[in-house]
Amino acid sequence: MPPILQRLQQATKMMSRRKILLLVLGCSTLSLLIHQGAQLSWYPKLFPLSCPPLRDSPPRPKHMTVAFLKTHKTAGTTVQNILFRFAERHNLTVALPHPSCEHQFCYPRNFSAHFVHPATRPPHVLASHLRFNRAELARLMPPGTVYVTILREPAAMFESLFSYYNQYCPAFRRVPNASLEAFLRAPEAYYRAGEHFAMFAHNTLAYDLGGDNERSPRDDAAYLAGLIRQVEEVFSLVMIAEYFDESLVLLRRLLAWDLDDVLYAKLNARAASSRLAAIPAALGRAARAWNALDAGLYDHFNATFWRRVARVGRACVEREARELREARERLLRRCFGAQPVLRPATQIRTKQLQPWQPSRKVDIMGYDLPSGGAGPATEACLKLAMPEVQYSNYLLRKQKRRGGVRARPEPVLDNPPPRPIRALPRAPQVH
Ligand SMILES: Nc1ncnc2c1ncn2[C@@H]1O[C@H](COP(=O)(O)OS(=O)(=O)O)[C@@H](OP(=O)(O)O)[C@H]1O
């Protein structure tokens, strides 16, 4: 026997059986820990985060009837575009406004089913601006329709409204040098309740939700509580613009859609030169105080949003939101080139992709197809970045034709150029 083995035999004899057992146990534990550590960092999918399964058994089919209340300046156009594309891919009917209502359902009037173009009834999907009216929507939409809306932090939203509607809303037009600060220092000096487009200058969220935007929660706390209750009764999901991707994760889980169904391009964004880089804290406080009803709505639904995220599992929602962002970046690169950039309308050659510009002082950005863009992906890419006016016109033409000649597809790239302006109703509206 070699000397080394003889020494080992002697050593083994010297150890008690108990010690050997302890050594074997220690080695196995160490090996297990090393193995698991490697898997955590290299194969995170082997350790699923607490994501409850989306599809129950039997699997839920995708939900096809959705009414999206498109509130103003809250990223609603981006959500609308997701819904329009989903509707097209699944051959669904989209409710669209009668041309006399422009591209909104005769906003700011209370919604009426009469505002809906007959060629777009009965609808599966509705996603254009309107002032919420529960009974009329129930008359229009099929039973089982899921109602969804979106809110945005009121100070950021008000800054966007002030800039976008500066030429349309008399309360804003009266302010010297179009100064948001001047308006918020003394809003009552400029604001007249009940005048044309007054709702863009005071509690726009409350107004869009069908509420009375002139109520103050300071004088009447019960009113805000009642409005919140009504919203909760109807809407299955209130998304939050600041957490857009997380909101889409909740939306797609609610509707049993795929992550691919909620990929998007950001639409209707102002250029950096047309917006405040940051809203000073004092201005933010003043905007919230003036829009106290909206602030109350936002705070409530922001809190319920995060409770809902927690119910699904925060890690799960964040993981899906990350997957969504990665897939979205790949899609944007495929459609708009290696470095897809938002550009001003003057630099967008494809007419169907030129966004409406509210005034010479505000630049609304969009995407363009790379030069010579052609091929099977072109149509999908075009729709991905198509602004509201062009997409609504296109869908209305397509659905009107579907009622008549079914076989001829609506041309997407060769259609006549859209009207450049999304005209707001010209005459004061009766509520
Ligand atoms: N994905 C996403 N995430 C966060 N924010 C987004 C997103 N998409 C659009 N936006 C911002 O939403 C603002 C436009 O809102 P709307 O499309 O609802 O406006 S409109 O009422 O239809 O005119 C507009 O805000 P401002 O740029 O501050 O005006 C957009 O930048």
Side-chain angles (χ1 to χ4, degrees), residues 70-78 129 152 159-160 164-165 241 244 264 266-270 275 388 422:
K70 187 177 189 283
T71 46
H72 284 85
K73 309 316 297 178
T74 53
T77 308
T78 306
H129 283 302
R152 182 178 179 186
E159 192 271 326
S160 178
Y164 198 85
Y165 292 110
F244 194 75
Y264 67 92
K266 186 173 179 176
L267 298 179
N268 225 3
R270 281 174 301 157
R275 58 192 303 158
E388 176 178 11
R422 176 176 66 177

Side-chain angles (χ1 to χ4, degrees), residues 43-158:
Y43 305 107
K45 281 190 176 154
L46 293 180
F47 286 82
L49 302 165
S50 54
C51 251
L54 175 59
R55 295 188 183 277
D56 318 290
S57 97
R60 250 191 322 146
K62 289 185 186 182
H63 197 92
M64 298 291 184
T65 48
V66 184
F68 170 62
L69 175 64
K70 187 177 189 283
T71 46
H72 284 85
K73 309 316 297 178
T74 53
T77 308
T78 306
V79 180
Q80 179 193 57
N81 180 278
I82 290 170
L83 295 172
F84 280 1
R85 284 181 292 119
F86 181 88
E88 279 211 89
R89 282 197 306 280
H90 295 84
N91 206 22
L92 306 178
T93 302
V94 179
L96 291 164
H98 198 276
S100 61
C101 285
E102 300 292 347
H103 300 286
Q104 324 192 353
F105 289 107
C106 281
Y107 186 91
R109 292 166 69 185
N110 285 337
F111 178 76
S112 156
H114 293 117
F115 300 157
V116 182
H117 195 292
T120 69
R121 295 175 67 155
H124 300 89
V125 169
L126 171 142
S128 299
H129 283 302
L130 57 85
R131 187 184 193 204
F132 187 70
N133 177 342
R134 185 175 179 171
E136 282 294 294
L137 280 162
R139 216 154 70 81
L140 174 75
M141 299 303 295
T145 294
V146 168
Y147 287 77
V148 174
T149 190
I150 185 164
L151 308 185
R152 182 178 179 186
E153 194 286 313
M157 179 181 167
F158 195 72

Side-chain angles (χ1 to χ4, degrees), residues 246-266:
E246 289 80 0
S247 294
L248 289 182
V249 168
L250 294 188
L251 179 72
R252 79 122 193 147
R253 296 181 74 86
L254 172 70
L255 300 174
W257 290 8
D258 297 327
L259 211 55
D260 277 357
D261 290 324
V262 293
L263 294 180
Y264 67 92
K266 186 173 179 176

Side-chain angles (χ1 to χ4, degrees), residues 16 43 134 166 237 239 254 296 318 349 382 385 406 413:
S16 72
Y43 305 107
R134 185 175 179 171
N166 210 276
L237 175 65
M239 298 191 280
L254 172 70
E318 290 306 341
R349 287 152 310 135
L382 194 73
R406 261 181 178 270
L413 274 168

Side-chain angles (χ1 to χ4, degrees), residues 31-53:
S31 138
L32 194 73
L33 280 175
I34 291 170
H35 184 63
Q36 286 207 346
Q39 281 193 340
L40 271 176
S41 54
W42 296 340
Y43 305 107
K45 281 190 176 154
L46 293 180
F47 286 82
L49 302 165
S50 54
C51 251

Side-chain angles (χ1 to χ4, degrees), residues 137-425:
L137 280 162
R139 216 154 70 81
L140 174 75
M141 299 303 295
T145 294
V146 168
Y147 287 77
V148 174
T149 190
I150 185 164
L151 308 185
R152 182 178 179 186
E153 194 286 313
M157 179 181 167
F158 195 72
E159 192 271 326
S160 178
L161 285 162
F162 187 82
S163 143
Y164 198 85
Y165 292 110
N166 210 276
Q167 303 300 305
Y168 293 95
C169 179
F172 294 157
R173 271 210 309 261
R174 289 187 190 102
V175 186
N177 305 319
S179 159
L180 175 61
E181 203 181 342
F183 180 87
L184 286 173
R185 221 179 295 125
E188 289 87 359
Y190 309 103
Y191 182 76
R192 316 261 190 283
E195 79 179 348
H196 193 34
F197 291 138
M199 71 294 304
F200 290 138
H202 198 204
N203 291 313
T204 313
L205 286 177
Y207 185 88
D208 288 355
L209 286 162
D212 177 356
N213 60 322
E214 302 305 341
R215 296 289 190 99
S216 158
R218 236 173 307 129
D219 308 334
D220 187 357
Y223 183 75
L224 172 62
L227 188 56
I228 287 172
R229 225 178 10 258
Q230 284 170 34
V231 174
E232 280 177 336
E233 265 171 35
V234 174
F235 291 90
S236 301
L237 175 65
V238 177
M239 298 191 280
I240 299 291
E242 282 70 30
Y243 308 102
F244 194 75
D245 294 334
E246 289 80 0
S247 294
L248 289 182
V249 168
L250 294 188
L251 179 72
R252 79 122 193 147
R253 296 181 74 86
L254 172 70
L255 300 174
W257 290 8
D258 297 327
L259 211 55
D260 277 357
D261 290 324
V262 293
L263 294 180
Y264 67 92
K266 186 173 179 176
L267 298 179
N268 225 3
R270 281 174 301 157
S273 55
S274 306
R275 58 192 303 158
L276 285 184
I279 300 174
L283 210 59
R285 278 195 299 276
R288 283 178 63 93
W290 171 242
N291 297 287
L293 210 46
D294 281 7
L297 284 167
Y298 181 83
D299 291 347
H300 174 87
F301 286 103
N302 187 31
T304 57
F305 177 85
W306 288 107
R307 281 205 286 278
R308 191 162 175 159
V309 167
R311 275 206 301 277
V312 176
R314 177 122 185 201
C316 153
V317 172
E318 290 306 341
R319 192 182 60 183
E320 272 197 27
R322 202 168 51 243
E323 277 173 25
L324 172 64
R325 277 191 282 277
E326 286 164 6
R328 176 179 173 259
E329 275 158 26
R330 284 195 296 274
L331 179 63
L332 292 181
R333 278 200 297 275
R334 216 168 56 228
C335 280
F336 308 115
Q339 279 170 338
V341 283
L342 279 166
R343 47 184 92 235
T346 48
Q347 287 175 27
I348 298 175
R349 287 152 310 135
T350 315
K351 278 205 167 65
Q352 287 87 347
L353 294 185
Q354 290 170 351
W356 177 69
Q357 305 297 308
S359 78
R360 278 203 211 100
K361 291 184 184 151
V362 181
D363 271 334
I364 303 295
M365 314 285 276
Y367 287 96
D368 202 359
L369 295 176
S371 48
T378 304
E379 182 171 332
C381 294
L382 194 73
K383 304 273 180 66
L384 180 69
M386 195 176 269
E388 176 178 11
V389 176
Q390 288 94 323
Y391 212 154
S392 304
N393 286 342
Y394 164 77
L395 278 181
L396 183 57
R397 281 197 306 275
K398 180 178 169 183
Q399 293 182 160
K400 274 157 80 174
R401 290 163 73 101
R402 203 168 60 180
V405 191
R406 261 181 178 270
R408 268 170 58 195
E410 181 64 29
V412 191
L413 274 168
D414 301 325
N415 53 10
R419 283 186 293 167
I421 301 265
R422 176 176 66 177
L424 294 153

